[in-house]
Amino acid sequence: MYDIIIIGAGPAGLTAAIYAGRQGSKTLILEKGIAGGKGLEVPLMENYPGYERIEGQELIQKIKKQATEHAQLKELEEVTKIEKTREGFEVGTKKDTYKTKTIILATGTRHKRLGIPGEEKFLGRGVSYCATCDGPLYKDKKVLVVGGGNSALQEAIFLHKIGSKPTIIHRRDQLRAQKYLQDQTKKLKIPIIWNSTLKEIKGNNAVQGAIIENKKGQTITIKTDGIFIAIGEEPLNKLAQDLGVKTDKAGYIITDKQQRTNIERVYAAGDITGGLNQWVTACAEGAIAATTAYKDTSKI
Ligand code: NAP
């Protein structure tokens, strides 16, 4: 019987593990992929306190090392179901079933899809949701980056820096991204196609072009070798919903300030709770969730 099972090993889940282990809770982290989650995709962070600049991969490796000093981590083990029992919960994966008194859901989000023709077909053949992973394939090549938020600008800046030729395409005439990223984009003279959306992705075996439509309904076809889509996130909330955990209209888990959900002894932390979607807030929520789980079970 574990005291705490943490589902998801991104910044929130790993930080929860550090706190849980250090307070003496027997803790297991279950991760469907490799620890780090979307954190592995962050090219460069410049707003994590203590590091002026650090790559997402480097920071996550440090957090992972620290977490596994205090908790057991099982990677490539996707949780498929959670059942409520008299003592707590049974957490099932394809490999095993684990018993626990409490659960911390730190399942994060996934990249939103545009839902346009060609997006699925060319995934991995010119369409990508991760510049850090796939960007190096596009050195000296023309790419489009779709979106006007922090992710889109961060990806465009990264692509420019590794020698690719990005153009941002944004549906409005104003960016949503932080001023700092907007200033860098301007300084690097990364072109932006304003008031336009991607309608279709064209190609044979791989992406060769895209059809773009402006607000007046006029379309143009432009040549491009790659398309990076960064139009936001959607919550990975299936396990939560199966358990009866309450979510908001957008599907993010609702918690109180102690990261408790509406289901007793189920807590949530990180991007799955919505909000600022920053590493620093994800880590903080992870720390709070682990501490609350400990306090609640100490009363049992
Ligand atoms: P986001 O902030 O939600 O921005 C999504 C962008 O995509 C917006 O500009 C939006 O346009 C556009 N968009 C949405 N749906 C679209 C569609 N169907 N077609 C075309 N464009 C569409 O998402 P994000 O940039 O992925 O960031 C997610 C979260 O992570 C945010 O909270 C962000 O602050 C955080 N983040 C932070 C950093 C950092 O601190 N450096 C870096 C990356 C991400 P509109 O503007 O018109 O809505």
Side-chain angles (χ1 to χ4, degrees):
M1 172 70 91
Y2 287 94
D3 293 312
I4 303 180
I5 286 186
I6 298 163
I7 305 175
L14 291 173
T15 308
I18 296 170
Y19 276 73
R22 283 171 57 90
Q23 71 208 356
S25 304
K26 189 179 170 200
T27 305
L28 172 66
I29 319 163
L30 293 169
E31 163 59 48
K32 70 174 177 185
I34 298 295
K38 280 202 296 59
L40 296 169
E41 299 175 5
V42 177
L44 189 67
M45 307 229 315
E46 296 175 291
N47 54 5
Y48 191 87
Y51 295 97
E52 281 166 35
R53 260 164 222 94
I54 187 162
E55 287 178 10
Q57 299 214 8
E58 190 187 345
L59 183 54
I60 210 77
Q61 289 316 324
K62 287 178 190 286
I63 302 177
K64 177 180 171 181
K65 185 168 175 290
Q66 202 177 356
T68 49
E69 281 173 24
H70 302 287
Q72 197 185 353
L73 166 68
K74 289 182 188 259
E75 295 174 303
L76 300 173
E77 203 163 339
E78 182 171 6
V79 175
T80 49
K81 66 171 183 195
I82 304 172
E83 268 172 23
K84 185 96 185 70
T85 62
R86 213 156 50 89
E87 300 81 28
F89 303 89
E90 269 184 15
V91 177
T93 69
K94 280 189 186 140
K95 296 182 186 164
D96 222 329
T97 301
Y98 306 93
K99 291 182 177 170
T100 181
K101 293 179 192 164
T102 67
I103 288 175
I104 297 176
L105 295 166
T107 45
T109 57
R110 69 163 208 160
H111 302 296
K112 263 193 202 160
R113 294 346 191 213
L114 273 170
I116 57 166
E119 186 179 17
E120 286 258 356
K121 181 178 171 192
F122 294 113
L123 182 60
R125 289 182 292 140
V127 172
S128 170
Y129 300 87
C130 173
T132 321
C133 324
D134 303 323
L137 301 170
Y138 297 90
K139 193 168 181 297
D140 297 323
K141 294 190 173 170
K142 277 187 185 170
V143 295
L144 286 177
V145 179
V146 187
N150 285 332
S151 299
L153 268 59
Q154 202 174 43
E155 300 233 319
I157 292 163
F158 173 76
L159 287 161
H160 175 92
K161 288 190 173 163
I162 60 168
S164 175
K165 294 171 192 150
T167 296
I168 295 168
I169 162 162
H170 182 40
R171 65 182 177 185
R172 287 190 294 136
D173 60 356
Q174 259 188 335
L175 296 166
R176 178 181 294 278
Q178 290 164 350
K179 186 175 179 300
Y180 179 76
L181 290 170
Q182 294 195 31
D183 290 347
Q184 279 193 58
T185 306
K186 210 180 257 177
K187 202 166 144 201
L188 296 173
K189 299 192 169 63
I190 297 173
I192 303 178
I193 302 175
W194 299 100
N195 294 312
S196 300
T197 50
L198 215 58
K199 282 289 157 197
E200 190 174 343
I201 300 168
K202 304 287 258 183
N204 288 318
N205 290 325
V207 169
Q208 291 173 318
I211 299 177
I212 292 172
E213 186 182 80
N214 68 16
K215 280 201 166 152
K216 291 179 191 152
Q218 297 159 328
T219 58
I220 51 162
T221 303
I222 59 166
K223 281 189 178 171
T224 185
D225 301 300
I227 294 172
F228 289 86
I229 299 167
I231 58 161
E233 305 295 323
E234 55 197 17
L236 290 169
N237 57 15
K238 174 148 191 338
L239 290 171
Q241 290 188 336
D242 289 350
L243 254 178
V245 170
K246 270 194 193 149
T247 56
D248 65 16
K249 269 192 204 151
Y252 291 97
I253 295 177
I254 299 168
T255 68
D256 68 8
K257 281 191 175 171
Q258 274 66 50
Q259 304 307 130
R260 292 185 187 97
T261 70
N262 60 307
I263 304 285
E264 204 180 346
R265 288 187 264 156
V266 177
Y267 311 83
D271 286 2
I272 188 64
T273 67
L276 208 53
N277 288 85
Q278 298 285 305
W279 280 46
V280 71
T281 48
C283 294
E285 287 185 9
I288 296 169
T291 310
T292 310
Y294 175 71
K295 279 189 195 155
D296 289 353
T297 44
S298 305
K299 285 185 219 148
I300 291 169

PDB file of all heavy atoms in Angstrom, residues 258-294:
ATOM      1  N   GLN A 258      -5.657  24.083  -1.338  1.00  0.00           N
ATOM      2  CA  GLN A 258      -4.760  23.015  -0.874  1.00  0.00           C
ATOM      3  C   GLN A 258      -4.633  21.908  -1.923  1.00  0.00           C
ATOM      4  O   GLN A 258      -4.142  20.838  -1.637  1.00  0.00           O
ATOM      5  CB  GLN A 258      -5.272  22.419   0.454  1.00  0.00           C
ATOM      6  CG  GLN A 258      -4.806  23.171   1.695  1.00  0.00           C
ATOM      7  CD  GLN A 258      -5.389  24.559   1.756  1.00  0.00           C
ATOM      8  OE1 GLN A 258      -6.587  24.742   1.602  1.00  0.00           O
ATOM      9  NE2 GLN A 258      -4.527  25.543   1.972  1.00  0.00           N
ATOM     10  N   GLN A 259      -5.137  22.150  -3.103  1.00  0.00           N
ATOM     11  CA  GLN A 259      -5.087  21.223  -4.252  1.00  0.00           C
ATOM     12  C   GLN A 259      -5.990  20.010  -4.076  1.00  0.00           C
ATOM     13  O   GLN A 259      -5.840  19.001  -4.744  1.00  0.00           O
ATOM     14  CB  GLN A 259      -3.631  20.769  -4.552  1.00  0.00           C
ATOM     15  CG  GLN A 259      -2.653  21.891  -4.803  1.00  0.00           C
ATOM     16  CD  GLN A 259      -3.051  22.884  -5.866  1.00  0.00           C
ATOM     17  OE1 GLN A 259      -3.011  24.071  -5.655  1.00  0.00           O
ATOM     18  NE2 GLN A 259      -3.472  22.401  -7.012  1.00  0.00           N
ATOM     19  N   ARG A 260      -6.964  20.106  -3.152  1.00  0.00           N
ATOM     20  CA  ARG A 260      -7.940  19.024  -3.013  1.00  0.00           C
ATOM     21  C   ARG A 260      -8.968  19.131  -4.128  1.00  0.00           C
ATOM     22  O   ARG A 260      -9.390  20.235  -4.470  1.00  0.00           O
ATOM     23  CB  ARG A 260      -8.705  19.118  -1.678  1.00  0.00           C
ATOM     24  CG  ARG A 260      -7.870  18.846  -0.457  1.00  0.00           C
ATOM     25  CD  ARG A 260      -8.778  18.851   0.783  1.00  0.00           C
ATOM     26  NE  ARG A 260      -7.973  18.756   1.979  1.00  0.00           N
ATOM     27  CZ  ARG A 260      -7.606  19.799   2.726  1.00  0.00           C
ATOM     28  NH1 ARG A 260      -7.992  21.025   2.416  1.00  0.00           N
ATOM     29  NH2 ARG A 260      -6.864  19.610   3.795  1.00  0.00           N
ATOM     30  N   THR A 261      -9.374  17.982  -4.676  1.00  0.00           N
ATOM     31  CA  THR A 261     -10.488  17.978  -5.634  1.00  0.00           C
ATOM     32  C   THR A 261     -11.765  17.699  -4.845  1.00  0.00           C
ATOM     33  O   THR A 261     -11.724  17.564  -3.615  1.00  0.00           O
ATOM     34  CB  THR A 261     -10.300  16.886  -6.706  1.00  0.00           C
ATOM     35  OG1 THR A 261     -10.466  15.611  -6.086  1.00  0.00           O
ATOM     36  CG2 THR A 261      -8.929  16.971  -7.363  1.00  0.00           C
ATOM     37  N   ASN A 262     -12.878  17.534  -5.562  1.00  0.00           N
ATOM     38  CA  ASN A 262     -14.144  17.215  -4.880  1.00  0.00           C
ATOM     39  C   ASN A 262     -14.172  15.772  -4.376  1.00  0.00           C
ATOM     40  O   ASN A 262     -15.022  15.411  -3.569  1.00  0.00           O
ATOM     41  CB  ASN A 262     -15.334  17.440  -5.833  1.00  0.00           C
ATOM     42  CG  ASN A 262     -15.247  16.576  -7.071  1.00  0.00           C
ATOM     43  OD1 ASN A 262     -14.238  16.567  -7.771  1.00  0.00           O
ATOM     44  ND2 ASN A 262     -16.292  15.818  -7.352  1.00  0.00           N
ATOM     45  N   ILE A 263     -13.240  14.932  -4.858  1.00  0.00           N
ATOM     46  CA  ILE A 263     -13.212  13.535  -4.400  1.00  0.00           C
ATOM     47  C   ILE A 263     -12.189  13.415  -3.264  1.00  0.00           C
ATOM     48  O   ILE A 263     -11.023  13.819  -3.433  1.00  0.00           O
ATOM     49  CB  ILE A 263     -12.829  12.577  -5.553  1.00  0.00           C
ATOM     50  CG1 ILE A 263     -13.785  12.743  -6.738  1.00  0.00           C
ATOM     51  CG2 ILE A 263     -12.753  11.126  -5.084  1.00  0.00           C
ATOM     52  CD1 ILE A 263     -15.155  12.145  -6.584  1.00  0.00           C
ATOM     53  N   GLU A 264     -12.649  12.864  -2.163  1.00  0.00           N
ATOM     54  CA  GLU A 264     -11.788  12.770  -0.992  1.00  0.00           C
ATOM     55  C   GLU A 264     -10.506  11.988  -1.306  1.00  0.00           C
ATOM     56  O   GLU A 264     -10.568  10.925  -1.945  1.00  0.00           O
ATOM     57  CB  GLU A 264     -12.559  12.067   0.133  1.00  0.00           C
ATOM     58  CG  GLU A 264     -12.019  12.428   1.491  1.00  0.00           C
ATOM     59  CD  GLU A 264     -12.783  11.716   2.600  1.00  0.00           C
ATOM     60  OE1 GLU A 264     -13.868  11.161   2.324  1.00  0.00           O
ATOM     61  OE2 GLU A 264     -12.272  11.716   3.722  1.00  0.00           O
ATOM     62  N   ARG A 265      -9.381  12.552  -0.889  1.00  0.00           N
ATOM     63  CA  ARG A 265      -8.049  11.950  -1.057  1.00  0.00           C
ATOM     64  C   ARG A 265      -7.577  11.875  -2.520  1.00  0.00           C
ATOM     65  O   ARG A 265      -6.681  11.117  -2.848  1.00  0.00           O
ATOM     66  CB  ARG A 265      -7.972  10.596  -0.361  1.00  0.00           C
ATOM     67  CG  ARG A 265      -7.944  10.793   1.155  1.00  0.00           C
ATOM     68  CD  ARG A 265      -7.706   9.524   1.881  1.00  0.00           C
ATOM     69  NE  ARG A 265      -8.934   8.906   2.311  1.00  0.00           N
ATOM     70  CZ  ARG A 265      -9.069   7.618   2.551  1.00  0.00           C
ATOM     71  NH1 ARG A 265      -8.058   6.807   2.358  1.00  0.00           N
ATOM     72  NH2 ARG A 265     -10.205   7.135   2.971  1.00  0.00           N
ATOM     73  N   VAL A 266      -8.197  12.673  -3.373  1.00  0.00           N
ATOM     74  CA  VAL A 266      -7.687  12.858  -4.739  1.00  0.00           C
ATOM     75  C   VAL A 266      -7.313  14.337  -4.883  1.00  0.00           C
ATOM     76  O   VAL A 266      -8.137  15.219  -4.615  1.00  0.00           O
ATOM     77  CB  VAL A 266      -8.732  12.479  -5.817  1.00  0.00           C
ATOM     78  CG1 VAL A 266      -8.172  12.766  -7.215  1.00  0.00           C
ATOM     79  CG2 VAL A 266      -9.107  11.009  -5.691  1.00  0.00           C
ATOM     80  N   TYR A 267      -6.081  14.586  -5.276  1.00  0.00           N
ATOM     81  CA  TYR A 267      -5.548  15.946  -5.385  1.00  0.00           C
ATOM     82  C   TYR A 267      -5.105  16.161  -6.835  1.00  0.00           C
ATOM     83  O   TYR A 267      -4.911  15.193  -7.580  1.00  0.00           O
ATOM     84  CB  TYR A 267      -4.362  16.124  -4.426  1.00  0.00           C
ATOM     85  CG  TYR A 267      -4.709  15.637  -3.042  1.00  0.00           C
ATOM     86  CD1 TYR A 267      -4.605  14.273  -2.709  1.00  0.00           C
ATOM     87  CD2 TYR A 267      -5.222  16.506  -2.085  1.00  0.00           C
ATOM     88  CE1 TYR A 267      -4.992  13.804  -1.463  1.00  0.00           C
ATOM     89  CE2 TYR A 267      -5.608  16.055  -0.832  1.00  0.00           C
ATOM     90  CZ  TYR A 267      -5.497  14.700  -0.523  1.00  0.00           C
ATOM     91  OH  TYR A 267      -5.894  14.246   0.709  1.00  0.00           O
ATOM     92  N   ALA A 268      -4.947  17.404  -7.229  1.00  0.00           N
ATOM     93  CA  ALA A 268      -4.494  17.663  -8.598  1.00  0.00           C
ATOM     94  C   ALA A 268      -3.489  18.805  -8.573  1.00  0.00           C
ATOM     95  O   ALA A 268      -3.567  19.705  -7.725  1.00  0.00           O
ATOM     96  CB  ALA A 268      -5.672  18.011  -9.492  1.00  0.00           C
ATOM     97  N   ALA A 269      -2.538  18.749  -9.505  1.00  0.00           N
ATOM     98  CA  ALA A 269      -1.480  19.774  -9.541  1.00  0.00           C
ATOM     99  C   ALA A 269      -0.955  19.935 -10.961  1.00  0.00           C
ATOM    100  O   ALA A 269      -0.931  18.983 -11.743  1.00  0.00           O
ATOM    101  CB  ALA A 269      -0.331  19.347  -8.611  1.00  0.00           C
ATOM    102  N   GLY A 270      -0.535  21.163 -11.255  1.00  0.00           N
ATOM    103  CA  GLY A 270       0.112  21.439 -12.541  1.00  0.00           C
ATOM    104  C   GLY A 270      -0.866  21.880 -13.612  1.00  0.00           C
ATOM    105  O   GLY A 270      -1.980  22.337 -13.319  1.00  0.00           O
ATOM    106  N   ASP A 271      -0.470  21.698 -14.871  1.00  0.00           N
ATOM    107  CA  ASP A 271      -1.260  22.222 -15.989  1.00  0.00           C
ATOM    108  C   ASP A 271      -2.683  21.669 -16.033  1.00  0.00           C
ATOM    109  O   ASP A 271      -3.584  22.313 -16.572  1.00  0.00           O
ATOM    110  CB  ASP A 271      -0.566  21.903 -17.326  1.00  0.00           C
ATOM    111  CG  ASP A 271       0.651  22.783 -17.560  1.00  0.00           C
ATOM    112  OD1 ASP A 271       0.964  23.607 -16.668  1.00  0.00           O
ATOM    113  OD2 ASP A 271       1.297  22.648 -18.615  1.00  0.00           O
ATOM    114  N   ILE A 272      -2.897  20.494 -15.456  1.00  0.00           N
ATOM    115  CA  ILE A 272      -4.239  19.895 -15.470  1.00  0.00           C
ATOM    116  C   ILE A 272      -5.236  20.745 -14.669  1.00  0.00           C
ATOM    117  O   ILE A 272      -6.453  20.604 -14.827  1.00  0.00           O
ATOM    118  CB  ILE A 272      -4.204  18.430 -14.929  1.00  0.00           C
ATOM    119  CG1 ILE A 272      -5.545  17.695 -15.102  1.00  0.00           C
ATOM    120  CG2 ILE A 272      -3.794  18.358 -13.457  1.00  0.00           C
ATOM    121  CD1 ILE A 272      -5.970  17.469 -16.492  1.00  0.00           C
ATOM    122  N   THR A 273      -4.735  21.639 -13.831  1.00  0.00           N
ATOM    123  CA  THR A 273      -5.637  22.515 -13.074  1.00  0.00           C
ATOM    124  C   THR A 273      -5.844  23.853 -13.785  1.00  0.00           C
ATOM    125  O   THR A 273      -6.525  24.742 -13.261  1.00  0.00           O
ATOM    126  CB  THR A 273      -5.120  22.789 -11.640  1.00  0.00           C
ATOM    127  OG1 THR A 273      -3.924  23.578 -11.749  1.00  0.00           O
ATOM    128  CG2 THR A 273      -4.823  21.524 -10.876  1.00  0.00           C
ATOM    129  N   GLY A 274      -5.232  24.021 -14.970  1.00  0.00           N
ATOM    130  CA  GLY A 274      -5.399  25.274 -15.707  1.00  0.00           C
ATOM    131  C   GLY A 274      -4.578  26.393 -15.089  1.00  0.00           C
ATOM    132  O   GLY A 274      -3.567  26.139 -14.442  1.00  0.00           O
ATOM    133  N   GLY A 275      -5.028  27.630 -15.253  1.00  0.00           N
ATOM    134  CA  GLY A 275      -4.326  28.765 -14.648  1.00  0.00           C
ATOM    135  C   GLY A 275      -3.145  29.231 -15.463  1.00  0.00           C
ATOM    136  O   GLY A 275      -3.198  29.257 -16.694  1.00  0.00           O
ATOM    137  N   LEU A 276      -2.067  29.539 -14.768  1.00  0.00           N
ATOM    138  CA  LEU A 276      -0.932  30.226 -15.395  1.00  0.00           C
ATOM    139  C   LEU A 276      -0.102  29.329 -16.323  1.00  0.00           C
ATOM    140  O   LEU A 276       0.604  29.818 -17.187  1.00  0.00           O
ATOM    141  CB  LEU A 276      -0.048  30.782 -14.267  1.00  0.00           C
ATOM    142  CG  LEU A 276       0.785  32.014 -14.533  1.00  0.00           C
ATOM    143  CD1 LEU A 276      -0.045  33.158 -15.086  1.00  0.00           C
ATOM    144  CD2 LEU A 276       1.511  32.455 -13.261  1.00  0.00           C
ATOM    145  N   ASN A 277      -0.154  28.028 -16.122  1.00  0.00           N
ATOM    146  CA  ASN A 277       0.608  27.082 -16.957  1.00  0.00           C
ATOM    147  C   ASN A 277       2.099  27.400 -16.988  1.00  0.00           C
ATOM    148  O   ASN A 277       2.707  27.450 -18.060  1.00  0.00           O
ATOM    149  CB  ASN A 277       0.089  27.064 -18.406  1.00  0.00           C
ATOM    150  CG  ASN A 277      -1.248  26.391 -18.524  1.00  0.00           C
ATOM    151  OD1 ASN A 277      -2.259  27.048 -18.310  1.00  0.00           O
ATOM    152  ND2 ASN A 277      -1.273  25.121 -18.816  1.00  0.00           N
ATOM    153  N   GLN A 278       2.645  27.610 -15.865  1.00  0.00           N
ATOM    154  CA  GLN A 278       4.077  27.885 -15.763  1.00  0.00           C
ATOM    155  C   GLN A 278       4.727  26.779 -14.931  1.00  0.00           C
ATOM    156  O   GLN A 278       4.084  26.194 -14.065  1.00  0.00           O
ATOM    157  CB  GLN A 278       4.299  29.232 -15.055  1.00  0.00           C
ATOM    158  CG  GLN A 278       3.709  30.399 -15.795  1.00  0.00           C
ATOM    159  CD  GLN A 278       4.534  30.782 -16.999  1.00  0.00           C
ATOM    160  OE1 GLN A 278       5.716  31.034 -16.905  1.00  0.00           O
ATOM    161  NE2 GLN A 278       3.901  30.810 -18.158  1.00  0.00           N
ATOM    162  N   TRP A 279       6.024  26.549 -15.155  1.00  0.00           N
ATOM    163  CA  TRP A 279       6.727  25.536 -14.357  1.00  0.00           C
ATOM    164  C   TRP A 279       6.680  25.893 -12.879  1.00  0.00           C
ATOM    165  O   TRP A 279       6.478  25.032 -12.034  1.00  0.00           O
ATOM    166  CB  TRP A 279       8.191  25.453 -14.790  1.00  0.00           C
ATOM    167  CG  TRP A 279       8.409  24.656 -16.032  1.00  0.00           C
ATOM    168  CD1 TRP A 279       7.701  24.742 -17.184  1.00  0.00           C
ATOM    169  CD2 TRP A 279       9.414  23.658 -16.234  1.00  0.00           C
ATOM    170  NE1 TRP A 279       8.213  23.869 -18.106  1.00  0.00           N
ATOM    171  CE2 TRP A 279       9.267  23.194 -17.550  1.00  0.00           C
ATOM    172  CE3 TRP A 279      10.423  23.141 -15.443  1.00  0.00           C
ATOM    173  CZ2 TRP A 279      10.089  22.211 -18.101  1.00  0.00           C
ATOM    174  CZ3 TRP A 279      11.242  22.162 -15.983  1.00  0.00           C
ATOM    175  CH2 TRP A 279      11.077  21.698 -17.293  1.00  0.00           C
ATOM    176  N   VAL A 280       6.884  27.153 -12.608  1.00  0.00           N
ATOM    177  CA  VAL A 280       6.995  27.549 -11.205  1.00  0.00           C
ATOM    178  C   VAL A 280       5.672  27.312 -10.465  1.00  0.00           C
ATOM    179  O   VAL A 280       5.669  26.867  -9.309  1.00  0.00           O
ATOM    180  CB  VAL A 280       7.519  29.007 -11.098  1.00  0.00           C
ATOM    181  CG1 VAL A 280       6.485  30.021 -11.536  1.00  0.00           C
ATOM    182  CG2 VAL A 280       8.032  29.313  -9.718  1.00  0.00           C
ATOM    183  N   THR A 281       4.538  27.533 -11.152  1.00  0.00           N
ATOM    184  CA  THR A 281       3.247  27.294 -10.487  1.00  0.00           C
ATOM    185  C   THR A 281       2.958  25.789 -10.428  1.00  0.00           C
ATOM    186  O   THR A 281       2.394  25.298  -9.446  1.00  0.00           O
ATOM    187  CB  THR A 281       2.090  28.040 -11.193  1.00  0.00           C
ATOM    188  OG1 THR A 281       2.173  27.807 -12.595  1.00  0.00           O
ATOM    189  CG2 THR A 281       2.143  29.517 -10.923  1.00  0.00           C
ATOM    190  N   ALA A 282       3.361  25.065 -11.468  1.00  0.00           N
ATOM    191  CA  ALA A 282       3.160  23.605 -11.450  1.00  0.00           C
ATOM    192  C   ALA A 282       3.925  22.991 -10.280  1.00  0.00           C
ATOM    193  O   ALA A 282       3.395  22.162  -9.526  1.00  0.00           O
ATOM    194  CB  ALA A 282       3.631  23.000 -12.772  1.00  0.00           C
ATOM    195  N   CYS A 283       5.171  23.408 -10.123  1.00  0.00           N
ATOM    196  CA  CYS A 283       5.993  22.874  -9.016  1.00  0.00           C
ATOM    197  C   CYS A 283       5.359  23.231  -7.675  1.00  0.00           C
ATOM    198  O   CYS A 283       5.261  22.386  -6.775  1.00  0.00           O
ATOM    199  CB  CYS A 283       7.415  23.426  -9.090  1.00  0.00           C
ATOM    200  SG  CYS A 283       8.319  22.858 -10.543  1.00  0.00           S
ATOM    201  N   ALA A 284       4.915  24.476  -7.554  1.00  0.00           N
ATOM    202  CA  ALA A 284       4.315  24.912  -6.289  1.00  0.00           C
ATOM    203  C   ALA A 284       3.068  24.089  -5.976  1.00  0.00           C
ATOM    204  O   ALA A 284       2.884  23.631  -4.841  1.00  0.00           O
ATOM    205  CB  ALA A 284       3.970  26.399  -6.375  1.00  0.00           C
ATOM    206  N   GLU A 285       2.240  23.878  -6.992  1.00  0.00           N
ATOM    207  CA  GLU A 285       1.021  23.080  -6.757  1.00  0.00           C
ATOM    208  C   GLU A 285       1.368  21.641  -6.373  1.00  0.00           C
ATOM    209  O   GLU A 285       0.692  21.026  -5.546  1.00  0.00           O
ATOM    210  CB  GLU A 285       0.139  23.096  -8.013  1.00  0.00           C
ATOM    211  CG  GLU A 285      -0.550  24.429  -8.226  1.00  0.00           C
ATOM    212  CD  GLU A 285      -1.524  24.415  -9.396  1.00  0.00           C
ATOM    213  OE1 GLU A 285      -1.807  23.331  -9.956  1.00  0.00           O
ATOM    214  OE2 GLU A 285      -2.008  25.498  -9.736  1.00  0.00           O
ATOM    215  N   GLY A 286       2.402  21.102  -6.987  1.00  0.00           N
ATOM    216  CA  GLY A 286       2.844  19.744  -6.652  1.00  0.00           C
ATOM    217  C   GLY A 286       3.238  19.672  -5.178  1.00  0.00           C
ATOM    218  O   GLY A 286       2.867  18.726  -4.458  1.00  0.00           O
ATOM    219  N   ALA A 287       3.984  20.674  -4.725  1.00  0.00           N
ATOM    220  CA  ALA A 287       4.424  20.710  -3.325  1.00  0.00           C
ATOM    221  C   ALA A 287       3.226  20.792  -2.387  1.00  0.00           C
ATOM    222  O   ALA A 287       3.152  20.081  -1.374  1.00  0.00           O
ATOM    223  CB  ALA A 287       5.340  21.922  -3.111  1.00  0.00           C
ATOM    224  N   ILE A 288       2.259  21.629  -2.740  1.00  0.00           N
ATOM    225  CA  ILE A 288       1.067  21.794  -1.884  1.00  0.00           C
ATOM    226  C   ILE A 288       0.250  20.495  -1.863  1.00  0.00           C
ATOM    227  O   ILE A 288      -0.177  20.027  -0.803  1.00  0.00           O
ATOM    228  CB  ILE A 288       0.197  22.982  -2.370  1.00  0.00           C
ATOM    229  CG1 ILE A 288       0.961  24.299  -2.249  1.00  0.00           C
ATOM    230  CG2 ILE A 288      -1.111  23.063  -1.572  1.00  0.00           C
ATOM    231  CD1 ILE A 288       0.307  25.484  -2.946  1.00  0.00           C
ATOM    232  N   ALA A 289       0.067  19.886  -3.045  1.00  0.00           N
ATOM    233  CA  ALA A 289      -0.743  18.650  -3.124  1.00  0.00           C
ATOM    234  C   ALA A 289      -0.142  17.556  -2.239  1.00  0.00           C
ATOM    235  O   ALA A 289      -0.855  16.883  -1.486  1.00  0.00           O
ATOM    236  CB  ALA A 289      -0.832  18.183  -4.578  1.00  0.00           C
ATOM    237  N   ALA A 290       1.170  17.388  -2.326  1.00  0.00           N
ATOM    238  CA  ALA A 290       1.819  16.332  -1.537  1.00  0.00           C
ATOM    239  C   ALA A 290       1.672  16.607  -0.036  1.00  0.00           C
ATOM    240  O   ALA A 290       1.413  15.697   0.760  1.00  0.00           O
ATOM    241  CB  ALA A 290       3.297  16.235  -1.928  1.00  0.00           C
ATOM    242  N   THR A 291       1.817  17.866   0.331  1.00  0.00           N
ATOM    243  CA  THR A 291       1.728  18.237   1.750  1.00  0.00           C
ATOM    244  C   THR A 291       0.304  18.033   2.262  1.00  0.00           C
ATOM    245  O   THR A 291       0.087  17.524   3.369  1.00  0.00           O
ATOM    246  CB  THR A 291       2.179  19.710   1.930  1.00  0.00           C
ATOM    247  OG1 THR A 291       3.419  19.865   1.262  1.00  0.00           O
ATOM    248  CG2 THR A 291       2.332  20.077   3.379  1.00  0.00           C
ATOM    249  N   THR A 292      -0.672  18.403   1.442  1.00  0.00           N
ATOM    250  CA  THR A 292      -2.071  18.227   1.863  1.00  0.00           C
ATOM    251  C   THR A 292      -2.412  16.737   1.982  1.00  0.00           C
ATOM    252  O   THR A 292      -3.077  16.315   2.937  1.00  0.00           O
ATOM    253  CB  THR A 292      -3.033  18.899   0.850  1.00  0.00           C
ATOM    254  OG1 THR A 292      -2.588  20.219   0.605  1.00  0.00           O
ATOM    255  CG2 THR A 292      -4.454  18.944   1.380  1.00  0.00           C
ATOM    256  N   ALA A 293      -1.948  15.955   1.001  1.00  0.00           N
ATOM    257  CA  ALA A 293      -2.232  14.503   1.043  1.00  0.00           C
ATOM    258  C   ALA A 293      -1.669  13.910   2.325  1.00  0.00           C
ATOM    259  O   ALA A 293      -2.315  13.084   2.984  1.00  0.00           O
ATOM    260  CB  ALA A 293      -1.610  13.827  -0.183  1.00  0.00           C
ATOM    261  N   TYR A 294      -0.482  14.347   2.689  1.00  0.00           N
ATOM    262  CA  TYR A 294       0.156  13.854   3.918  1.00  0.00           C
ATOM    263  C   TYR A 294      -0.666  14.241   5.152  1.00  0.00           C
ATOM    264  O   TYR A 294      -0.962  13.411   6.005  1.00  0.00           O
ATOM    265  CB  TYR A 294       1.571  14.427   4.019  1.00  0.00           C
ATOM    266  CG  TYR A 294       2.282  14.074   5.293  1.00  0.00           C
ATOM    267  CD1 TYR A 294       2.719  12.770   5.530  1.00  0.00           C
ATOM    268  CD2 TYR A 294       2.513  15.044   6.263  1.00  0.00           C
ATOM    269  CE1 TYR A 294       3.370  12.439   6.708  1.00  0.00           C
ATOM    270  CE2 TYR A 294       3.165  14.735   7.442  1.00  0.00           C
ATOM    271  CZ  TYR A 294       3.584  13.428   7.665  1.00  0.00           C
ATOM    272  OH  TYR A 294       4.222  13.110   8.829  1.00  0.00           O
TER     273      TYR A 294
END
